[in-house]
Amino acid sequence: MSDQNNVQDSMHYKDCRSGMLTNGIERAAHRALLYSTGLEERDLHKPLIAIVNSFTEMVPGHFHLRELAQCVAQGVWEAGGVPREFSTIAICDGICQGHKGMSYPLPSRELIADSVEYMIEPHRFDAMVMLPGSCKDHPVMTLTDMRELIGQTQTGKMTVEERMAAEQTALPGVGTCSMLGTANTMSCLAEVLGMSLPGCGLAHAVSAKKRRIAKQSGYRVVEMLKEGLTPRKIMTRDALRNAITVSMAMGASTNSTLHLPAIAHEAGIDLSLKDFDELSRKVPYLCNIKPSGSHPLSDLEAVGGVPAVMKMVEPLLEGSALTCTGKTVAENLKDVAVQENDVIFSLAHPKKPEGGLAVLHGSLAPAGAVVKQAGVKPSMHRFEGKAKVFTSMEDACEAVSGGQITPGTVIVIRYEGPKGGPGMREMHMVTSLIVGRGMDEMCALVTDGRFSGSTRGPAIGHVSPEAAAGGPIAIVQDGDPILIHIPNRRPDLLIPQEEIDRRLTQWKPLRKPRTPALDRYSALVSSADQGAILRAPQE
């Protein structure tokens, strides 16, 4: 009993939430239920740690998480806690690409968060370790290649047999694809935020390093419980702005402009596109990583991973931000070596002088739009063309595949926003077909939908207000002139404001068919410039 007392005294166990299940004679039924799962009496005097696992056999980036969960559990046991695992859903954006299924990944964000709350709160867990593939894991770089191969097949540059061979050898195994899509972006930014241990973000899925970090995470979460170190103490506004800073340096996914504000909203922190715009102009693009650069993400891991990037931009970070190690960002980076090579450029000699993302405002997007400017060729930084309007991704794909898009066209895809989609589908298939057909220097794309992190070219997304909310994108007509000027941060509909106003007075919204789940989502979701978060009806 002495060991039990030491654990109880050191952790002030009587104050732990799980004590509500085990302390007192009136909790006999609760204890009986726990005993039935194999726990012993001594286990009831230890903290209860949730392992939130998103393992699924359907998604490559989640396929290996069952084994990692076992490593986490081992660490929890060794630290004096009791691990208990449960599962969440996980949707593969890559498999969802190009069809109605893409309506569901973004709405799943809040659904997953709610499901975790529904498990953590009633079961009175003291702490948790979460095992996502990342934010919403998806092997999209390979899918980018596949859809570019489709375009090459359509134009005769590749045979059907060559394309089929590529399909069968494209994915060597499980894990997230080695590029800065949304999956790896959010995995890296979790580390920058201080919510995962140093080195975790880019450790290979099947590596021994990943398993060691998993075990260390299980051990560390019990120590954090003892220390009273909670996510609210770590994920401050400074930490979130650090994440934006690193995302700009890395050339991260445009979806970070949705997910970081959503995290901030949960914590009651004010974070908006203004922060992204400000830091985009201050932080240079440093990382020569696909899809905007030439190296796979595994090369970045080889030269030091996320800590090496943070070390390079350390002068631009808030070093006092606390992390899950119990140390500050500055303390974590104290012994990290500076790396300057073809993978990580220096602040003095950046790959590009501005950040990987740019926030645009103009008559076509009064509340904002986002582009991955690091992936846009210089010849397309300023582009003026005639609009060709579509109200769905499928129609746009058919037009591109059918050779109906001529040079000088600005493809406008609307009613694909958070409310109008519903679900803010990725328009990645359209951009991939454009690149595959060699049209990425001939035309541009503007949409109130979003893009995969692997999107390249002049693809302007997140246009706000969206069409379903009566934004100007709703009244664009075929043939209207549109100017995209990335250096000036503007997407403009080049018609008189009086004409825009006249069309808006005559506008009637288009309502697409919906399932009950998506109908509820549409009714509650905010605009993309606000992070596409779900608001209570009274908000």
Side-chain angles (χ1 to χ4, degrees):
M1 292 297 294
S2 59
D3 288 343
Q4 285 184 16
N5 291 334
N6 288 338
V7 170
Q8 183 171 341
D9 291 343
S10 65
M11 300 189 65
H12 305 289
Y13 185 72
K14 64 180 183 298
D15 297 325
C16 284
R17 289 160 35 112
S18 60
M20 299 178 187
L21 306 180
T22 57
N23 292 341
I25 191 171
E26 71 278 5
R27 302 300 182 186
H30 298 80
R31 291 192 292 271
L33 290 168
L34 293 172
Y35 284 138
S36 73
T37 68
L39 295 184
E40 302 177 14
E41 195 275 337
R42 61 180 177 176
D43 296 327
L44 303 187
H45 300 277
K46 301 174 182 178
L48 193 61
I49 310 298
I51 300 176
V52 186
N53 194 352
S54 59
F55 163 80
T56 170
E57 293 182 339
M58 193 64 185
V59 184
H62 296 249
F63 199 90
H64 60 298
L65 296 183
R66 180 181 286 168
E67 182 180 353
L68 288 185
Q70 295 172 350
C71 296
V72 174
Q74 183 179 354
V76 171
W77 281 119
E78 289 184 5
V82 175
R84 280 295 179 261
E85 181 181 345
F86 66 85
S87 299
T88 71
I89 63 171
I91 298 178
C92 178
D93 288 27
I95 294 175
C96 293
Q97 291 288 346
H99 56 81
K100 186 60 180 175
M102 181 45 75
S103 295
Y104 290 87
L106 184 59
S108 77
R109 184 182 67 185
E110 276 77 10
L111 184 62
I112 292 169
D114 287 349
S115 71
V116 173
E117 179 181 337
Y118 272 85
M119 288 294 292
I120 295 295
E121 291 300 322
H123 296 118
R124 299 284 87 188
F125 283 104
D126 298 308
M128 63 180 169
V129 177
M130 304 186 74
L131 290 172
S134 79
C135 169
K136 295 183 287 73
D137 199 299
H138 56 293
V140 177
M141 186 58 189
T142 299
L143 288 159
T144 303
D145 294 337
M146 290 301 100
R147 294 194 176 98
E148 290 177 15
L149 296 184
I150 292 170
Q152 292 177 28
T153 304
Q154 291 173 339
T155 55
K157 297 178 182 178
M158 174 176 284
T159 67
V160 173
E161 291 75 18
E162 289 172 333
R163 176 179 55 77
M164 291 179 65
E167 291 175 8
Q168 295 170 12
T169 59
L171 285 173
V174 300
T176 304
C177 291
S178 192
M179 45 76 67
L180 270 175
T182 308
N184 280 317
T185 288
M186 297 311 297
S187 182
C188 291
L189 296 189
E191 185 175 331
V192 179
L193 284 167
M195 290 300 293
S196 63
L197 294 176
C200 182
L202 292 181
H204 296 176
V206 295
S207 67
K209 178 181 178 181
K210 198 75 164 185
R211 281 146 186 76
R212 287 194 296 271
I213 291 176
K215 180 181 176 182
Q216 292 163 7
S217 298
Y219 196 98
R220 178 60 192 151
V221 76
V222 178
E223 293 181 322
M224 290 172 67
L225 180 62
K226 295 177 184 178
E227 298 163 5
L229 181 54
T230 63
R232 291 295 176 95
K233 296 178 180 178
I234 295 172
M235 287 194 290
T236 61
R237 177 170 166 78
D238 284 341
L240 287 159
R241 282 177 60 87
N242 282 348
I244 297 175
T245 295
V246 175
S247 74
M248 292 300 173
M250 295 183 76
S253 168
T254 52
N255 284 318
S256 63
T257 65
L258 295 174
H259 301 324
L260 290 178
I263 293 170
H265 175 74
E266 288 292 327
I269 297 170
D270 179 29
L271 194 79
S272 70
L273 287 182
K274 291 181 180 179
D275 294 282
F276 286 87
D277 185 36
E278 174 198 340
L279 294 172
S280 170
R281 298 171 190 267
K282 292 181 179 179
V283 182
Y285 169 49
L286 304 181
C287 294
N288 189 18
I289 299 297
K290 293 181 178 180
S292 301
S294 59
H295 287 271
L297 204 54
S298 53
D299 286 355
L300 181 56
E301 163 70 355
V303 297
V306 176
V309 180
M310 294 179 69
K311 187 68 175 181
M312 190 62 79
V313 297
E314 188 174 12
L316 305 177
L317 298 176
E318 178 49 67
S320 64
L322 194 61
T323 73
C324 66
T325 64
K327 300 177 181 179
T328 65
V329 167
E331 290 170 333
N332 286 343
L333 295 178
K334 181 180 178 182
D335 297 322
V336 175
V338 173
Q339 299 283 344
E340 183 177 358
N341 43 54
D342 191 54
V343 180
I344 307 176
F345 288 52
S346 69
L347 286 174
H349 301 94
K351 185 170 172 60
K352 293 184 179 180
E354 292 186 340
L357 305 181
V359 177
L360 316 180
H361 289 85
S363 62
L364 192 56
V370 182
V371 63
K372 195 172 195 175
Q373 65 174 342
V376 181
K377 296 177 180 178
S379 62
M380 296 296 287
H381 282 191
R382 184 191 184 282
F383 181 79
E384 184 174 341
K386 301 293 186 180
K388 180 66 175 176
V389 181
F390 302 92
T391 57
S392 76
M393 175 193 62
E394 289 83 355
D395 289 346
C397 286
E398 184 177 346
V400 175
S401 296
Q404 301 172 27
I405 303 301
T406 57
T409 298
V410 177
I411 301 170
V412 177
I413 308 177
R414 63 192 182 200
Y415 290 100
E416 289 287 7
K419 289 182 178 294
M424 202 179 183
R425 293 194 294 175
E426 291 179 352
M427 304 294 104
H428 175 60
M429 177 171 276
V430 185
T431 59
S432 296
L433 289 172
I434 290 172
V435 173
R437 296 173 72 89
M439 300 172 61
D440 52 322
E441 289 190 272
M442 305 176 188
C443 59
L445 173 60
V446 175
T447 180
D448 53 9
R450 61 192 179 100
F451 297 108
S452 155
S454 59
T455 291
R456 288 170 283 173
I460 315 299
H462 303 213
V463 170
S464 300
E466 63 176 290
I473 192 173
I475 52 85
V476 178
Q477 298 178 0
D478 286 349
D480 282 347
I482 292 175
L483 174 62
I484 297 169
H485 202 307
I486 295 176
N488 288 351
R489 302 292 204 272
R490 293 195 66 86
D492 285 309
L493 180 59
L494 300 180
I495 62 175
Q497 185 61 47
E498 295 79 8
E499 176 62 12
I500 293 176
D501 294 340
R502 186 191 67 80
R503 292 183 190 179
L504 285 173
T505 62
Q506 298 177 354
W507 166 77
K508 294 182 180 179
L510 170 70
R511 180 182 171 88
K512 293 183 176 180
R514 301 170 179 175
T515 65
L518 292 179
D519 201 36
R520 288 191 294 271
Y521 178 81
S522 179
L524 297 176
V525 70
S526 74
S527 62
D529 66 291
Q530 298 174 358
I533 59 174
L534 294 187
R535 298 188 183 278
Q538 66 270 20
E539 288 189 71

